[in-house]
Amino acid sequence: MHPVRELLDARELLRNLTIRELKVRYKRSALGFLWTLLNPLLMMAVFTAVFSTFFKGMLSWFPIYFLTGYLPFAFFQASATVATGSIVGNGNLIRKVYFPRSVLPLSVVLAQLVHLLLGLGVLVVAETIIYIGWDRSFDWWWYLPLLVVAIALLTIFTAGLAMLLAAANTFLRDIQEFTTVAFLMWFYATPVIYPLDQLPGWVQTLIKLNPMTHFVEFFRDSLYSTSLPTWSTLMAGVGSALGMFVLGWLTFSRLSRDFAKEV
Amino acid sequence: MPDVSHPDRTRDDPSGAGGGFGVAAGLHHRENETGRGDLSSGAAPGSVLVDDVWESFKVYHERAQGLRDRLFARRKNVTEEFWALRGVSLRLDPGDTVGLIGENGSGKSTLLKCIAGILRPSRGTVQTYGRTASMLELGAGFHPDLTGRENVYLNSSILGFSRRYTDQVFDEMVEFAGQQVAEAIDRPVRTYSSGMYLRLGFAVSVHLQPDILIIDEVLAVGDAKFVKKCYDRIHELKRRGVTIVVVSHDLETVATLCDRAIYLERGKVVADGPSVEVVDRYRADVTAEQGGAVGRWEGGAVYGSGDMTLRDIRLLTGGERDSIRTGDRIAVKFRAHVNAEVDNPVFGLIVRANDGTYLYDTNTLWRHQETGRYAPGDEVEVTFELRANLLPGRYTVTVAASRHDGKVVYDWHSDALGFDVAGEFVANGLVELDGSISVMPIAGT
Ligand SMILES: Nc1ncnc2c1ncn2[C@@H]1O[C@H](COP(=O)(O)OP(=O)(O)OP(=O)(O)O)[C@@H](O)[C@H]1O
Ligand SMILES: [Mg+2]
């Protein structure tokens, strides 16, 4: 059977694993699901304290600016990091049961997507309050379709990378060690805490090579600056999302045949 | 090439239970590389075709999973290929119950994993038709922090059940797992005893209704009562026509549960046939390896009038070897001590297969052979010379002495000797009929 068809048939498993991912994470913590919301808020508090004076005058509503970049990036980072170990960590299952292996990294991404959606939910409530009380520029609802596109593209991109890393890590365990540093660097190479247009031109060009820049920009466009992205960034986003997904999928399909021998 | 790509799709609910366990809701479909296209006749659900499967593992001399080791692996030659399966071919038909036996490390689990789709063969092809469920470990995929109930649903979806189907059989599963498990079903499984954990795992697995069920040494779980329940359940699946492949070191289980057994040695099939015979053959090999069974034999019943006493019953093999190969000349020798006046006593010998099948019976009476007249205290040495035209397996020898007309038994030693015949496996059964096969194309047709 074709692997795509196989994955479709296993969608129930995908759902159950996603639920497991979510349940297990919070099962034994007192605040449970609240951490999903608390974490970004705490990060926001810290970064606002440190950076908002920095960009004073340039960026209004710095906490909102931060969150519109941080939420997607945190989703991306957590998905990729957790998914990296998802094959190795489920070695026992891989060695003992046959099922489409791609559900493991994909369920991680979906669980993180739930967190992202919750975070965004709180964010738009906050924006609505700001709209009513202070600033009429937060009419985010007109840009909802763009937000949906942004979420979809980011998820596709992330799923591709998640599969790529999960598969590669099975054969090369160094990847697991490397991700922490790599994603820290990636974080600073993405305009989450700084505005892109304040950088020197050549740095901007460099940073635009980073696909995450585009995805973060889409979120900003719909939730912060409430404007439309240019066609070129949209195309760059679509291209990198599909490219990464195809790369991840192919690598994963190729390598997954020998997972049972390697884990 | 005939299209065998989705033979399992056309099938309706095979459960017979009408349990809504239709194709869409079924186990994970899987398709291996399509074989050579000569398989159109074997495409019924429940068939398995294993065609010349070779499977190798890379063996690292040291743990080498880091970048450095990977990069330099080839140069330093730290990896080596190990062939766990060497050219295994099998064909299982729907409803077959097959036991895989063999020593530790002979490749049984590896073969099961290839059939289950967990491992991909390095060479050759495996094709399965219909839904395959594997029980290589009970409760694989249980998460300690989730409750029994949550784990049942998770585990069953890992095994390919639909939620709808699990809903239907949930109560049955829990009941099957037993009272303690039923009471603890909403507690995290980390609080379960290991027996409870396995029971729940087994309960989930056996409520699958696959076309092919693969079981690796998981039957010995829980207490005696539960084990019996498990067997009953497996027998039930067997009656329903599920193809079952079992690995077990419990040879009795294999002989009784399975109709057919396959004996693997170092990744090769050395015997494939009726389970009783293959199990016997394996037993014989194991005993032979432990120093040869010849001469070390408990023997069966001994009885007779006592006019003569047979002792020193020995089996002589051709050379120094103490194992017998098909076609070897052998001799059975014993001494008969005379306790009363006897005239022309009859000496006889019977060869039986290990399961009692009567193979060969001869004596001096039938051969019109004079044996002489003896007085108490005399000793006679009797030698039977035979050619062991026997196929590999275990055989027994019965010897006896009786009155000249054969009607009064002086001394009878049932199964006095046991011996194992070894040899290349080219035929199955008991006797070597010196078969040969020629295949010739007929010109002009
Ligand atoms: N992942 C692996 N990496 C390296 N070698 C392996 C791996 N899995 C199995 N082997 C080797 O393959 C051979 C066959 O193993 P397998 O598990 O199939 O044996 P088995 O017949 O099931 O034995 P047992 O009766 O002990 O269960 C063994 O020599 C084993 O060391
Ligand atoms: Mg084994």
Side-chain angles (χ1 to χ4, degrees):
Chain A
M1 178 174 309
H2 195 269
V4 175
R5 169 76 216 244
E6 193 182 46
L7 183 61
L8 284 178
D9 278 357
R11 58 190 179 278
E12 194 152 353
L13 172 59
L14 189 56
R15 205 195 67 181
N16 283 347
L17 284 174
T18 306
I19 293 171
R20 175 184 86 164
E21 213 40 60
L22 292 170
K23 269 190 185 158
V24 165
R25 173 138 173 223
Y26 297 114
K27 200 119 199 175
R28 296 173 85 176
S29 70
L31 291 180
F33 241 103
L34 281 181
W35 280 114
T36 309
L37 305 175
L38 272 173
N39 265 329
L41 289 180
L42 292 175
M43 290 301 269
M44 181 194 78
V46 172
F47 277 98
T48 306
V50 178
F51 288 95
S52 60
T53 45
F54 234 52
F55 301 114
K56 209 162 217 144
M58 279 181 266
L59 296 169
S60 55
W61 301 100
F62 185 82
I64 300 294
Y65 180 82
F66 173 78
L67 279 181
T68 47
Y70 178 78
L71 286 177
F73 194 89
F75 157 75
F76 166 71
Q77 173 171 1
S79 302
T81 327
V82 179
T84 302
S86 65
I87 299 297
V88 176
N90 286 293
N92 196 37
L93 209 49
I94 302 262
R95 264 181 277 116
K96 303 290 180 176
V97 192
Y98 178 79
F99 57 91
R101 273 66 170 104
S102 51
V103 296
L104 289 172
L106 293 180
S107 66
V108 170
V109 175
L110 289 184
Q112 294 298 332
L113 182 62
V114 172
H115 293 159
L116 173 65
L117 294 178
L118 278 171
L120 290 176
V122 173
L123 183 65
V124 294
V125 169
E127 289 193 5
T128 313
I129 295 169
I130 294 172
Y131 174 85
I132 294 167
W134 296 275
D135 190 339
R136 292 280 157 169
S137 73
F138 283 107
D139 50 351
W140 58 272
W141 44 89
W142 301 116
Y143 297 88
L144 196 56
L146 178 59
L147 181 61
V148 171
V149 170
I151 294 170
L153 288 180
L154 178 64
T155 306
I156 292 168
F157 179 79
T158 306
L161 188 71
M163 285 190 287
L164 183 68
L165 291 178
N169 183 57
T170 312
F171 293 85
L172 206 66
R173 305 280 161 96
D174 305 65
I175 289 177
Q176 211 161 322
E177 312 297 331
F178 188 61
T179 46
T180 321
V181 179
F183 281 102
L184 190 66
M185 280 157 46
W186 205 327
F187 179 75
Y188 287 108
T190 310
V192 174
I193 47 169
Y194 55 82
L196 185 59
D197 49 20
Q198 294 303 310
L199 297 173
W202 64 274
V203 182
Q204 274 190 43
T205 318
L206 260 182
I207 291 208
K208 277 181 178 163
L209 289 177
N210 166 14
M212 279 309 289
T213 304
H214 304 298
F215 300 125
V216 164
E217 287 303 313
F218 296 153
F219 280 86
R220 289 257 162 80
D221 286 340
S222 61
L223 289 175
Y224 179 76
S225 53
T226 52
S227 58
L228 287 175
T230 63
W231 275 107
S232 63
T233 50
L234 193 59
M235 283 304 110
V238 171
S240 43
L242 294 182
M244 181 57 87
F245 190 84
V246 169
L247 178 68
W249 176 267
L250 292 180
T251 313
F252 193 91
S253 310
R254 182 90 195 79
L255 296 180
S256 67
R257 300 166 178 179
D258 285 331
F259 282 169
K261 287 186 191 174
E262 296 289 337
V263 292
Chain B
M1 198 182 281
D3 178 24
V4 292
S5 48
H6 302 295
D8 48 353
R9 287 268 187 79
T10 52
R11 196 152 175 248
D12 292 318
D13 182 0
S15 62
F21 189 44
V23 171
L27 305 172
H28 305 294
H29 291 275
R30 175 177 59 88
E31 185 187 308
N32 289 295
E33 292 89 315
T34 304
R36 298 186 182 147
D38 54 347
L39 308 163
S40 45
S41 56
S47 308
V48 177
L49 287 157
V50 176
D51 185 21
D52 193 30
V53 162
W54 293 68
E55 180 68 306
S56 76
F57 291 108
K58 273 195 226 93
V59 186
Y60 301 98
H61 288 313
E62 266 171 80
R63 245 185 92 78
Q65 263 150 354
L67 185 62
R68 193 177 56 90
D69 294 316
R70 289 276 169 176
L71 293 179
F72 302 116
R74 210 153 284 149
R75 188 142 51 91
K76 283 196 194 160
N77 198 20
V78 289
T79 71
E80 214 172 68
E81 297 228 304
F82 172 82
W83 291 93
L85 292 177
R86 304 159 198 251
V88 173
S89 297
L90 302 171
R91 180 204 173 104
L92 309 186
D93 292 320
D96 274 2
T97 334
V98 182
L100 282 185
I101 53 178
E103 286 175 35
N104 295 130
S106 54
K108 302 180 297 295
S109 301
T110 307
L111 180 55
L112 286 192
K113 286 179 183 176
C114 286
I115 296 175
I118 297 166
L119 288 174
R120 179 191 50 125
S122 310
R123 275 189 239 155
T125 56
V126 175
Q127 284 182 305
T128 55
Y129 296 85
R131 294 188 291 261
T132 307
S134 50
M135 261 200 250
L136 303 187
E137 188 175 289
L138 297 175
F142 277 7
H143 195 286
D145 281 341
L146 297 180
T147 67
R149 184 185 301 274
E150 289 166 339
N151 270 308
V152 165
Y153 279 95
L154 179 62
N155 197 227
S156 58
S157 67
I158 290 173
L159 295 169
F161 278 97
S162 72
R163 180 174 191 87
R164 198 159 51 107
Y165 180 75
T166 314
D167 281 338
Q168 282 169 10
V169 293
F170 185 83
D171 292 336
E172 212 181 305
M173 282 181 188
V174 173
E175 195 196 308
F176 187 90
Q179 182 68 29
Q180 295 96 321
V181 175
E183 281 166 15
I185 197 69
D186 287 311
R187 281 195 345 231
V189 297
R190 81 189 127 81
T191 66
Y192 284 25
S193 77
S194 54
M196 286 160 69
Y197 190 94
L198 293 176
R199 274 164 171 253
L200 190 61
F202 194 88
V204 175
S205 304
V206 292
H207 283 83
L208 289 170
Q209 295 181 339
D211 299 307
I212 303 160
L213 178 64
I214 293 169
I215 307 172
D216 192 354
E217 296 184 275
V218 293
L219 292 177
V221 297
D223 46 43
K225 208 173 99 202
F226 189 69
V227 170
K228 181 172 179 304
K229 224 157 125 184
C230 295
Y231 278 108
D232 288 349
R233 180 75 197 181
I234 288 174
H235 277 286
E236 191 189 323
L237 292 175
K238 181 178 166 175
R239 279 194 299 279
R240 284 199 199 158
V242 175
T243 305
I244 300 175
V245 191
V246 192
V247 166
S248 179
H249 285 289
D250 176 3
L251 298 176
E252 285 314 314
T253 302
V254 173
T256 52
L257 179 70
C258 304
D259 305 322
R260 177 175 161 197
I262 291 165
Y263 170 13
L264 282 182
E265 195 176 80
R266 295 167 162 275
K268 283 193 173 133
V269 175
V270 291
D272 179 350
S275 58
V276 181
E277 288 168 25
V278 177
V279 164
D280 267 4
R281 161 112 198 261
Y282 175 60
R283 276 211 183 103
D285 282 4
V286 171
T287 13
E289 219 166 75
Q290 290 164 351
V294 179
R296 267 210 265 147
W297 180 255
E298 302 242 319
V302 177
Y303 60 92
S305 68
D307 289 16
M308 292 182 105
T309 317
L310 308 185
R311 51 168 105 103
D312 245 353
I313 306 162
R314 278 165 299 148
L315 183 80
L316 306 178
T317 60
E320 312 86 84
R321 282 178 295 134
D322 68 355
S323 75
I324 298 164
R325 299 187 64 82
T326 302
D328 278 2
R329 291 213 68 93
I330 56 169
V332 175
K333 214 174 206 155
F334 58 82
R335 280 160 179 275
H337 185 82
V338 182
N339 302 315
E341 196 116 310
V342 291
D343 185 15
N344 202 17
V346 178
F347 296 103
L349 162 141
I350 300 170
V351 178
R352 285 182 217 274
N354 196 28
D355 61 357
T357 306
Y358 185 61
L359 289 177
Y360 185 74
D361 185 355
T362 190
N363 58 52
T364 53
L365 177 67
W366 296 346
R367 290 169 181 262
H368 310 291
Q369 216 166 321
E370 293 292 323
T371 54
R373 191 187 175 90
Y374 304 96
D378 287 351
E379 287 269 345
V380 193
E381 189 179 65
V382 182
T383 308
F384 289 87
E385 289 200 15
L386 306 164
R387 182 182 290 284
N389 286 325
L390 297 169
L391 291 177
R394 166 161 289 192
Y395 301 90
T396 67
V397 178
T398 299
V399 291
S402 60
R403 204 171 68 183
H404 62 90
D405 56 0
K407 293 199 170 140
V408 175
V409 173
Y410 293 152
D411 197 9
W412 181 288
H413 290 247
S414 303
D415 301 335
L417 297 173
F419 65 93
D420 294 311
V421 176
E424 197 188 340
F425 184 82
V426 291
N428 205 349
L430 296 170
V431 294
E432 173 58 63
L433 297 178
D434 269 328
S436 64
I437 305 172
S438 68
V439 179
M440 242 177 278
I442 301 168
T445 55

